[in-house]
Amino acid sequence: MDIWRIENFQPVSLPKSDYGKFYSGDSYVVLQTSSGKSGTYQYDIHFWLGKDTSQDEAGTAAIKTVELDAALGGRAVQYRELQGHESDKFLSYFKPCILPLEGGVASGFKKPEEIKFETCLYVCKGRRVVRMKQVPFARTSLNHDDVFLLDTESKIYQFNGTNSNIQERAKALEVVQYLKDKYHEGKCEVAIIDDGKLQAEADSGEFWGLFGGFAPIGKKSGSEDDSHMEITPGRMYSIVDGQLKSIAGPLSRGMLESNKCYLLDCGAEIYVWVGRVTQLEERKAASSAAEEFISSQKRSKYTSIIRVIQGFETQPFKSKFDSWPLTGGNSGAEDGRGKVAALLKQQGVDVKGMMKATPAKEEIPPLLEGGGKLEVWRVNNNSKAPVRKEEIGKFYGGDCYIILYTYHSGERKEGYYLCFWLGQESTPEDQITAARLTNTMANSLKGKPVQGRILQGKEPAEFIGLFTNILVLKGGLSAGYKKFISDKGLNDDTYNGDCVALIQVSGSGPHNSKAVQVDPVGTSLCSTSCFLLQSGSSFFTWHGNSSTLEQQQLAARIAEFLKPGVSLKHAKEGTEPAGFWYALGGKQRYVSKKAVQETAKDPHLYVCTYEKGKLEVTEVFNFTQDDLLTEDIIVLDTHAEIFVWVGQHVDAKEKQLAFEIGKKYMDRAALLEGLSPDIPLYKVTEGNEPSFFTKYFAWDSSKAAVQGNSFEKKLATLQGIPIQAVENLKKRVSTADAGSENETSFSDSANGSKQSGQTQRASALAALNSAFNSSSGSKPAPRSAKTFSTSTQSSQRAAALAALSTALDAEAKTGSPVKSNAVNDNKLSAEAVSETTDNKSNATASSEAEEWLSKQDESTTQEESSSETNGEEVSETKAVEVEQEENGSSGTYSYERLKAKATNPARGIDHKKRETYLSPEEFEKIFGMDQKTFYEQPKWKQDMRKKAVDLF
């Protein structure tokens, strides 16, 4: 990213430290340069206009944007950004938000100076990117529909309007964390204020006290800033000498001429399309014409203006047309590179490496964990029949198959990969049956499997990687296929051990190598592959001159797979014996050049809504794991696969439409982007994401494990409370109580120990209730569970969990839980009491709680434990302290003690993050890089490196 501010009508480069700071009195030009997988650069230019910037500065920014684009070869997409109404793409560069700043360096404004802290009130809008706006610090600024942040010197308050959106509340919490870290050095408190929930809570009282006391707040007032602009069907105008001329008729790509500029009016959005051979002055005039059009039509000044160049149109622009025919490569893609270097050097921008983008060679991440159980069924007569183990990997093009792979995905969690494979010659009836039976299997596994549709010829890496050998043969074995060819009077060309068969072996590695039966003629050969030729009792292996060693080895394995113990006759391209050509019907010309590989494309993420047969698609720019919101259905398009991700809080009826949404999206992308309709389509449910999905994100498993809606998940993360561990402990209480009601007799000796356990558990429940519930008895208490910066509260929670875990584990050892009145005495939440369906053992739930406790501030936990836990636990804590003192550091251990197989392992550490306890010097020695570089890698790469050095 490069940013310039307009000063004295010239662009002046901003220092990196000022990125994200935009002053209302200034205008800026922002260049975002992205290096794509295709090996070329993509340019997006945004000119940002502050609400108080002068007309002259705004005009200068617009002109400089056009000039910059010309220097970049005339290929950038240009956006006009107005303060408070920026595009989602622009805001995605500055996550979590842009803070509005008053002042500026020009237009009569004085340069902002450092001032004392001032209490500020902001309104936050946006479900994935946040639009922050400072509003007057007054009760009249609040309303029931929005989320507000009150930033004071000692505490940040988040006020959630009754009607505010859950996802907006969650995004506002990201801003809270940003404000806390950036302007409060991470030391201020945070409080959540829920509109309409007064009670006598301390945080609520403090909040309303800052406004002079509580009083009803008014409704949201309509204003120009909040005016809703609708997207309308496009209307096209040509731009000639700065004048607009309407063009009638349906929108088609054919009406756009390369030597002209056009304006496409879509209501809230205005597009300016620029032909490749137009001159610079024409382009400047087209941009000015768009501004004048908005003014003459009395449109809102916040109407978006987006300028696209011929050959580099965006998908939203293409979607406005009835069709968009696909063309070849973009001509002139590398134009103007010398000018680029000159311009950016003049502006003090580092141009090293900008002359050519070279796509990096990607490492293949682990796709599915090995060592699992693979089962395959062939669809036959409206049911499925298991494929024999020795035949697994052999597919017939006239049949359909169901594949289930069961594996362990870490932390004893079972994962499922479930898909159906459709042969090119299979019948529609068998295809429908395969989809139905797969869906039934997915439901029987409670929706946990990754569910996929795989078409012959488009098998993805994770599918191929499941099989030792994968071979696709002609014909079919199912009754449906046999009936089809009989009804059509066709010859049955199903492979058998005596026929003449030619099998092509292609690929470059274990995740893309496969064998496919082709027509047994000379024209089927190819120099870049290996082939197997079966002719009666003879079996030839043919190596193309450009074939690889991996292909040659696979060819030998496939021959053994087809006919165990077969004797092979080897033939190299150009040295074939006469019998080889005789079996193929004579020597013929064949392809000798390598096939052109499809250009790699970058993944894109879209939020999809589907109503009344219409699919609405909104792109999420610069996406991260945090953009997978649990209330949404998301499409991840990698151009090689389509994933439909379904959040846990999506409506049940909408969940059933996941595959239909995926197919609708594919139809749309096929029309606009040339997406193949045959690529794999997957349904992925939240909490069951496979590694071949998570590799597109910097995946954090701890985030994925948190339960609740978007706001609850984010709040739990910020507070440091592991919701799942807490719920498991509560469920254990409920389960233990339910079990005790079924007990009818006890021995005298057991009664004594049970009574002791009852007392211990009652005490622990009282502590847990005090730490996690908002009230005790009938008297409302302060909202301590929603203030995540107080160490005392954290230690109380830690001690409560530890005490309860100890009590329940003691009961587990006696084998006879007792009913405790502590649940009623301390009024534990009704939700906790009612959840009795958890099947986890006491030991498992206890370990989860202990795992979290080990992550808390150790000194605080130890202090609380000294008064809440028994002597044995205190002794253990002291042992850890002594051990750390002997080690010379409270948080650093030697590599030999941190290894998973260490003979003298370090105690009291988070075993999932062993590497964090290494000293910086030893860390670099072990991993060959510093910590910053290590953690910038994708999660799967980190795990692979940790496994390699026994720190996983």
Side-chain angles (χ1 to χ4, degrees):
M1 180 186 292
D2 299 285
I3 303 179
W4 297 266
R5 178 165 52 194
I6 303 300
E7 299 180 14
N8 297 321
F9 306 109
Q10 292 298 323
V12 177
S13 182
L14 277 186
K16 299 285 184 182
S17 58
D18 286 342
Y19 282 17
K21 296 179 181 178
F22 292 89
Y23 291 92
S24 62
D26 291 332
S27 298
Y28 298 79
V29 176
V30 177
L31 169 63
Q32 177 72 14
T33 305
S34 307
S35 176
K37 287 188 175 182
S38 60
T40 59
Y41 280 105
Q42 174 185 327
Y43 301 110
D44 292 288
I45 307 176
H46 307 255
F47 62 100
W48 185 92
L49 309 178
K51 62 182 179 66
D52 299 317
T53 193
S54 69
Q55 191 64 39
D56 289 341
E57 281 191 346
T60 301
I63 291 172
K64 293 300 179 184
T65 296
V66 176
E67 292 177 354
L68 176 59
D69 174 41
L72 293 168
R75 48 188 296 210
V77 180
Q78 298 175 30
Y79 303 82
R80 183 186 73 157
E81 309 286 356
L82 299 182
Q83 182 178 347
H85 295 266
E86 297 88 352
S87 66
D88 285 1
K89 186 163 193 171
F90 181 78
L91 291 174
S92 73
Y93 305 148
F94 305 99
K95 291 180 178 179
C97 68
I98 292 174
L99 282 180
L101 300 172
E102 295 296 325
V105 297
S107 305
F109 284 85
K110 295 180 180 180
K111 187 174 181 179
E113 301 292 342
E114 292 294 329
I115 57 174
K116 293 183 178 180
F117 188 92
E118 180 182 352
T119 297
C120 296
L121 182 64
Y122 301 97
V123 61
C124 295
K125 298 181 181 181
R127 300 187 182 189
R128 278 182 174 76
V129 290
V130 179
R131 289 173 175 80
M132 289 277 288
K133 179 182 177 182
Q134 187 172 354
V135 294
F137 177 28
R139 185 188 297 107
T140 53
S141 296
L142 303 174
N143 61 61
H144 300 296
D145 300 311
D146 293 321
V147 178
F148 295 83
L149 300 183
L150 179 60
D151 187 10
T152 71
E153 192 164 8
S154 61
K155 185 179 287 190
I156 302 173
Y157 300 85
Q158 176 169 325
F159 176 83
N160 297 325
T162 303
N163 304 323
S164 62
N165 182 272
I166 287 292
Q167 294 176 342
E168 286 189 325
R169 297 182 186 185
K171 295 305 290 185
L173 282 173
E174 293 182 13
V175 180
V176 168
Q177 185 69 62
Y178 172 74
L179 292 174
K180 179 182 177 183
D181 294 341
K182 189 172 182 65
Y183 297 104
H184 298 271
E185 299 180 349
K187 296 179 181 178
C188 73
E189 295 184 11
V190 174
I192 308 301
I193 311 301
D194 291 323
D195 182 17
K197 296 183 180 178
L198 297 177
Q199 302 175 353
E201 298 182 351
D203 290 337
S204 292
E206 289 176 0
F207 176 78
W208 291 112
L210 294 170
F211 290 92
F214 174 77
I217 58 177
K219 295 182 178 180
K220 183 177 181 180
S221 59
S223 66
E224 184 180 4
D225 285 5
D226 298 324
S227 58
H228 179 65
M229 296 178 287
E230 293 185 355
I231 302 293
T232 60
R235 184 175 181 182
M236 185 71 75
Y237 299 83
S238 63
I239 305 175
V240 181
D241 297 328
Q243 301 300 312
L244 301 184
K245 181 180 179 181
S246 179
I247 301 176
L251 297 180
S252 68
R253 171 64 181 84
M255 64 173 55
L256 303 174
E257 300 179 26
S258 298
N259 61 344
K260 292 183 180 180
C261 297
Y262 296 84
L263 183 146
L264 179 61
D265 176 19
C266 299
E269 298 174 341
I270 298 232
Y271 291 91
V272 176
W273 184 90
V274 178
R276 287 289 306 170
V277 296
T278 54
Q279 300 299 311
L280 179 61
E281 291 306 316
E282 292 180 81
R283 299 180 182 192
K284 290 181 179 179
S287 296
S288 299
E291 298 274 3
E292 293 172 5
F293 177 79
I294 289 175
S295 177
S296 65
Q297 296 288 315
K298 296 182 179 180
R299 299 281 178 84
S300 168
K301 65 179 182 180
Y302 300 111
T303 302
S304 297
I305 298 179
I306 304 168
R307 203 200 72 160
V308 296
I309 194 75
Q310 180 182 356
F312 298 93
E313 296 88 351
T314 62
Q315 192 181 73
F317 177 80
K318 294 177 183 178
S319 68
K320 310 297 181 184
F321 292 77
D322 293 339
S323 63
W324 193 272
L326 300 176
T327 58
N330 294 321
S331 60
E334 307 304 316
D335 292 352
R337 289 204 174 272
K339 294 180 181 179
V340 175
L343 174 74
L344 297 183
K345 272 189 175 180
Q346 180 185 355
Q347 300 298 336
V349 178
D350 182 12
V351 296
K352 184 179 180 181
M354 286 196 68
M355 289 302 96
K356 186 175 181 181
T358 303
K361 185 178 180 180
E362 291 189 273
E363 296 181 48
I364 298 178
L367 300 172
L368 287 168
E369 285 76 358
K373 179 183 179 182
L374 178 62
E375 300 171 271
V376 181
W377 296 266
R378 181 185 297 109
V379 173
N380 194 37
N381 285 331
N382 290 319
S383 61
K384 65 182 193 294
V387 175
R388 290 183 294 119
K389 186 175 182 179
E390 58 271 20
E391 293 288 307
I392 287 180
K394 195 180 293 183
F395 296 87
Y396 288 85
D399 294 336
C400 296
Y401 295 81
I402 297 173
I403 298 92
L404 173 63
Y405 181 65
T406 306
Y407 59 96
H408 290 285
S409 59
E411 298 182 7
R412 302 182 300 280
K413 179 182 177 182
E414 207 161 36
Y416 304 94
Y417 176 84
L418 174 65
C419 64
F420 57 98
W421 184 92
L422 306 179
Q424 290 179 346
E425 304 300 324
S426 60
T427 66
E429 293 78 13
D430 281 352
Q431 293 178 7
I432 293 172
T433 300
R436 175 178 57 81
L437 293 176
T438 302
N439 192 55
T440 300
M441 292 176 67
N443 291 336
S444 69
L445 293 169
K446 299 181 180 179
K448 292 181 180 180
V450 176
Q451 200 173 337
R453 183 199 69 176
I454 311 295
L455 274 63
Q456 179 183 342
K458 291 292 184 178
E459 295 85 1
E462 60 274 4
F463 179 88
I464 294 175
L466 293 177
F467 302 91
T468 305
N469 302 301
I470 183 167
L471 170 63
V472 181
L473 298 170
K474 286 179 174 289
L477 304 179
S478 67
Y481 175 77
K482 298 297 185 185
K483 182 178 184 302
F484 172 78
I485 60 172
S486 175
D487 292 345
K488 294 290 184 179
L490 302 174
N491 291 327
D492 189 353
D493 60 354
T494 301
Y495 171 85
N496 62 69
D498 299 321
C499 68
V500 176
L502 184 65
I503 297 168
Q504 181 179 12
V505 179
S506 58
S508 58
H511 292 105
N512 64 5
S513 296
K514 60 182 177 179
V516 179
Q517 185 179 354
V518 295
D519 293 335
V521 292
T523 54
S524 296
L525 297 174
C526 174
S527 298
T528 60
S529 299
C530 290
F531 288 80
L532 292 172
L533 175 60
Q534 172 186 296
S535 177
S537 60
S538 299
F539 221 109
F540 294 92
T541 175
W542 185 86
H543 296 168
N545 287 333
S546 299
S547 64
T548 65
L549 177 61
E550 289 83 359
Q551 291 171 353
Q552 296 167 17
Q553 292 172 340
L554 178 59
R557 295 204 310 269
I558 292 296
E560 184 69 18
F561 184 37
L562 271 175
K563 288 191 173 183
V566 68
S567 178
L568 287 174
K569 298 178 181 180
H570 298 281
K572 187 172 175 57
E573 183 176 4
T575 63
E576 302 87 353
F580 179 86
W581 293 116
Y582 178 80
L584 293 178
K587 189 173 183 178
Q588 294 176 280
R589 294 176 62 88
Y590 55 84
V591 177
S592 59
K593 295 182 180 179
K594 289 186 177 182
V596 178
Q597 289 187 342
E598 185 178 353
T599 303
K601 296 190 178 182
D602 297 304
H604 293 267
L605 196 73
Y606 302 93
V607 181
C608 295
T609 55
Y610 187 60
E611 293 182 6
K612 298 179 180 179
K614 185 178 181 181
L615 182 68
E616 294 291 339
V617 175
T618 305
E619 183 166 5
V620 180
F621 301 99
N622 297 307
F623 63 85
T624 66
Q625 181 183 354
D626 289 336
D627 291 309
L628 300 175
L629 301 183
T630 187
E631 297 84 9
D632 287 335
I633 291 179
I634 307 283
V635 167
L636 174 63
D637 178 2
T638 72
H639 218 77
E641 296 165 312
I642 299 296
F643 297 92
V644 182
W645 182 90
V646 182
Q648 290 181 352
H649 284 66
V650 171
D651 182 77
K653 291 182 179 179
E654 291 183 38
K655 288 181 179 180
Q656 298 302 317
L657 297 174
F659 266 108
E660 188 171 352
I661 288 173
K663 291 174 184 176
K664 288 285 184 182
Y665 171 82
M666 293 176 72
D667 292 342
R668 179 182 184 275
L671 181 66
L672 300 177
E673 298 292 318
L675 183 77
S676 170
D678 297 333
I679 66 173
L681 172 62
Y682 287 110
K683 173 186 174 182
V684 178
T685 57
E686 182 181 7
N688 300 291
E689 296 88 352
S691 54
F692 60 89
F693 173 84
T694 60
K695 72 177 183 178
Y696 295 101
F697 304 82
W699 197 260
D700 185 342
S701 299
S702 63
K703 287 183 179 180
V706 179
Q707 303 296 310
N709 61 37
S710 296
F711 176 71
E712 292 167 344
K713 283 172 177 263
K714 186 66 65 176
L715 184 61
T717 301
L718 294 181
Q719 291 175 332
I721 300 175
I723 287 183
Q724 194 61 49
V726 175
E727 289 304 315
N728 284 342
L729 283 170
K730 291 182 178 180
K731 288 176 182 180
R732 287 173 59 199
V733 174
S734 180
T735 304
D737 289 338
S740 67
E741 291 177 352
N742 296 324
E743 298 289 340
T744 57
S745 63
F746 303 90
S747 67
D748 293 338
S749 59
N751 278 333
S753 61
K754 290 166 191 169
Q755 185 61 38
S756 174
Q758 178 179 358
T759 304
Q760 187 178 10
R761 179 156 57 132
S763 176
L765 282 168
L768 182 69
N769 184 52
S770 176
F772 285 97
N773 290 324
S774 61
S775 62
S776 178
S778 60
K779 182 180 179 181
R783 191 178 307 196
S784 58
K786 292 187 177 179
T787 303
F788 55 85
S789 61
T790 307
S791 60
T792 302
Q793 292 159 347
S794 297
S795 61
Q796 288 174 345
R797 289 193 289 267
L801 281 168
L804 183 59
S805 177
T806 301
L808 291 174
D809 285 341
E811 289 181 0
K813 292 177 181 178
T814 64
S816 50
V818 296
K819 182 174 178 64
S820 171
N821 292 325
V823 174
N824 294 323
D825 294 342
N826 295 285
K827 300 192 176 179
L828 195 62
S829 65
E831 291 84 356
V833 177
S834 64
E835 292 179 280
T836 60
T837 58
D838 186 25
N839 292 322
K840 286 190 176 181
S841 69
N842 287 346
T844 301
S846 177
S847 65
E848 291 175 350
E850 289 169 359
E851 181 178 278
W852 172 64
L853 291 173
S854 68
K855 299 178 185 178
Q856 307 308 302
D857 180 59
E858 195 162 354
S859 62
T860 306
T861 306
Q862 290 167 359
E863 180 183 347
E864 284 296 317
S865 296
S866 65
S867 60
E868 296 290 344
T869 60
N870 59 34
E872 189 174 315
E873 292 170 312
V874 174
S875 298
E876 177 68 21
T877 302
K878 292 296 182 182
V880 173
E881 286 179 341
V882 170
E883 180 183 18
Q884 291 176 343
E885 288 174 4
E886 290 174 350
N887 192 61
S889 171
S890 61
T892 304
Y893 293 88
S894 68
Y895 168 62
E896 293 301 324
R897 299 194 61 194
L898 289 170
K899 291 194 299 185
K901 297 177 182 178
T903 55
N904 181 25
R907 294 184 291 176
I909 66 170
D910 181 356
H911 296 289
K912 293 182 181 179
K913 299 180 180 179
R914 296 174 185 271
E915 78 284 359
T916 61
Y917 298 93
L918 290 168
S919 66
E921 296 77 18
E922 195 163 17
F923 188 99
E924 192 161 350
K925 178 182 177 181
I926 298 298
F927 290 101
M929 65 185 73
D930 58 25
Q931 292 177 335
K932 182 176 184 296
T933 305
F934 179 82
Y935 289 114
E936 285 175 349
Q937 299 179 110
K939 184 68 165 57
W940 63 266
K941 281 190 178 181
Q942 296 177 27
D943 290 344
M944 287 180 69
R945 294 186 186 279
K946 286 161 65 175
K947 287 177 181 178
V949 295
D950 197 28
L951 289 175
F952 186 73

